[in-house]
Amino acid sequence: MWKILKTLFILEKSNKKNIFTCIIVAVFVFGLILFVKTEDLGNSIKGKSGEYQSLSSALTKFQIVDATDSGNGSDLYKNLVLQQQFVSKQRMAVKMDRPELFLDTAIDLTNLRANSFDMEGFDKVASNLPTKTENQLDSAFYQYIKKTGIPLSTNSFSFFPFLVYLFGMLGSVWFIFMSIYSCGIMVEEFQHTSLIKGYPITFDKYVIAKCISSMLLVVVFLLELFVCSLPLVYFKGLGDPSYPIAIFDGIFDVYPIYKYLGISILYMICISIFTILLSVILNVLLKNMYLTLFLELLLYVFPMLFPNMMNLIPFNPFNYLNFSSLLNGQTLDLANPVALNSTHGLIYIGISIVIMVVAVKLFLTTGKLKKV
């Protein structure tokens, strides 16, 4: 088994598809670093300027009215005017290097926004404001900062915050990436069975060895993400790996960066194993890489097309393959909100992996291969 695994890994390592994939991953990370540096993402002054402009756009949807307590403006209009004032106050706090003022104002702003969601006419300005979930994440973050006394960061992304941004982006497309990468994993073997008949192991062991060698390359891709992100250390510094990140895991909570990255990597590894095994089984059934890819993508978008099914079938592993949306609580903003738990997602994906491994061991035999 070890010899065939070593042979397969050598073959996979020299495969042009894998080399091309490594290049794509590197280009993506370097491009994202350039984008972050150019856009100065994480800069609080720039971020608050964007918020101010969004609130200004929201206020243009109202007639010019008196926003004072005794004025003729609606409650929502008065609320938005106060929000704009708080955002201006935060910009001033950053410029004057007064993090305590920024933090207190941020907490007041989240409370003010929480009141606006139930006000009449909010639907007209909803696109200009953070969602209820985003506001709750902000509230959890700022309350945690206030409680613990951790210094508030208002600078651009450094290395560790960039990794959070990077893995957050990859979380929504990792299953798609792995589906494209693995959709033809066993097609060549089924088309040319003579390629593997000479191996001194059973076909099910060969399939497991092929999956393991593919996963070793996935580990290389993950390491590449960290290595290619290192230039940001030179430009922006290392950052604090224990800095808090607000997440949703059944409840609104705060994780340190290293824990968020650990969960993200665990999800990416589980999704990779899940996708590779699914591709193997679909290759056996469909004998075509394009049909395999189409069916995998269809299963992936099915919960998005029919979100009510998430409540009906919460154990469906495809509900949890976009782990960024889970940790950001985006399913709470659906027309019919769904509170998916990322911990449960890992359990359901893990159970699915075990079931697929058993299926491979039971049904993929040399005899089956001859019938294909």
Side-chain angles (χ1 to χ4, degrees):
M1 181 69 174
W2 168 249
K3 290 183 178 179
I4 187 62
L5 183 59
K6 184 178 179 181
T7 301
L8 285 174
F9 182 69
I10 293 173
L11 292 174
E12 292 287 348
K13 186 174 65 173
S14 59
N15 189 308
K16 291 182 179 179
K17 180 192 76 172
N18 295 325
I19 296 173
F20 183 66
T21 304
C22 285
I23 294 173
I24 288 177
V25 171
V27 170
F28 173 78
V29 176
F30 288 137
L32 199 61
I33 289 175
L34 182 62
F35 173 76
V36 165
K37 191 172 181 297
T38 303
E39 295 295 319
D40 202 17
L41 295 185
N43 186 310
S44 293
I45 294 179
K46 190 169 184 178
K48 290 302 170 182
S49 295
E51 282 189 48
Y52 188 89
Q53 292 300 324
S54 295
L55 285 165
S56 297
S57 298
L59 288 171
T60 60
K61 299 178 182 181
F62 296 85
Q63 294 181 350
I64 300 176
V65 291
D66 186 355
T68 61
D69 292 338
S70 59
N72 62 342
S74 66
D75 290 339
L76 179 59
Y77 181 82
K78 295 175 183 177
N79 184 287
L80 294 177
V81 170
L82 282 176
Q83 286 190 40
Q84 194 176 50
Q85 291 174 2
F86 283 162
V87 170
S88 296
K89 195 174 181 180
Q90 285 182 298
R91 290 167 63 188
M92 179 196 70
V94 173
K95 291 179 180 179
M96 298 180 64
D97 193 23
R98 295 184 59 187
E100 300 85 1
L101 177 61
F102 182 96
L103 180 59
D104 291 338
T105 307
I107 293 173
D108 292 338
L109 180 60
T110 56
N111 293 333
L112 192 63
R113 281 177 173 160
N115 295 331
S116 70
F117 294 122
D118 298 322
M119 291 182 178
E120 185 180 355
F122 178 79
D123 292 342
K124 296 179 181 179
V125 298
S127 60
N128 301 104
L129 300 172
T131 65
K132 189 173 184 178
T133 300
E134 290 171 340
N135 190 63
Q136 287 176 294
L137 289 171
D138 285 343
S139 179
F141 172 76
Y142 289 123
Q143 293 286 355
Y144 181 84
I145 292 289
K146 182 75 173 178
K147 179 181 177 181
T148 58
I150 295 174
L152 185 67
S153 174
T154 56
N155 298 321
S156 305
F157 284 161
S158 50
F159 177 71
F160 281 108
F162 172 77
L163 288 178
V164 172
Y165 181 68
L166 172 63
F167 280 87
M169 290 192 66
L170 289 174
S172 58
V173 298
W174 188 250
F175 176 78
I176 297 174
F177 170 77
M178 286 304 306
S179 295
I180 296 172
Y181 173 72
S182 66
C183 62
I185 186 171
M186 295 300 299
V187 168
E188 187 175 357
E189 280 79 358
F190 289 128
Q191 291 176 344
H192 308 286
T193 56
S194 59
L195 290 173
I196 59 170
K197 285 184 177 179
Y199 289 126
I201 59 172
T202 58
F203 184 61
D204 60 328
K205 290 183 178 179
Y206 173 83
V207 172
I208 296 298
K210 182 92 179 213
C211 293
I212 293 173
S213 65
S214 296
M215 274 306 302
L216 289 175
L217 285 166
V218 170
V219 173
V220 172
F221 297 153
L222 292 175
L223 290 175
E224 191 180 3
L225 295 175
F226 286 91
V227 172
C228 292
S229 300
L230 287 175
L232 209 64
V233 176
Y234 173 78
F235 292 116
K236 299 292 184 179
L238 193 62
D240 182 5
S242 62
Y243 194 74
I245 300 292
I247 60 96
F248 178 78
D249 187 20
I251 60 172
F252 290 97
D253 200 357
V254 175
Y255 286 172
I257 286 178
Y258 64 81
K259 184 175 181 179
Y260 178 92
L261 294 178
I263 291 174
S264 298
I265 292 171
L266 181 59
Y267 250 105
M268 292 170 84
I269 291 173
C270 290
I271 290 172
S272 299
I273 298 172
F274 175 87
T275 312
I276 289 171
L277 289 171
L278 181 62
S279 294
V280 168
I281 293 171
L282 291 178
N283 280 177
V284 174
L285 297 175
L286 304 175
K287 309 178 188 69
N288 185 290
M289 63 181 292
Y290 300 107
L291 287 176
T292 296
L293 178 60
F294 173 77
L295 187 56
E296 286 177 340
L297 296 182
L298 183 64
L299 291 170
Y300 177 67
V301 302
F302 186 81
M304 305 176 197
L305 297 175
F306 304 98
N308 290 338
M309 297 298 291
M310 293 184 187
N311 276 323
L312 187 63
I313 314 176
F315 51 83
N316 176 13
F318 291 94
N319 293 344
Y320 303 90
L321 297 182
N322 185 345
F323 65 84
S324 291
S325 68
L326 294 181
L327 296 175
N328 291 335
Q330 292 178 8
T331 56
L332 296 174
D333 292 324
L334 297 172
N336 294 314
V338 184
L340 296 179
N341 188 303
S342 59
T343 303
H344 293 167
L346 285 172
I347 294 172
Y348 295 141
I349 294 173
I351 292 173
S352 301
I353 289 172
V354 172
I355 292 173
M356 287 191 286
V357 169
V358 171
V360 168
K361 292 289 290 181
L362 291 179
F363 299 111
L364 292 186
T365 64
T366 305
K368 280 285 183 182
L369 177 63
K370 291 178 181 178
K371 296 178 183 178
V372 174

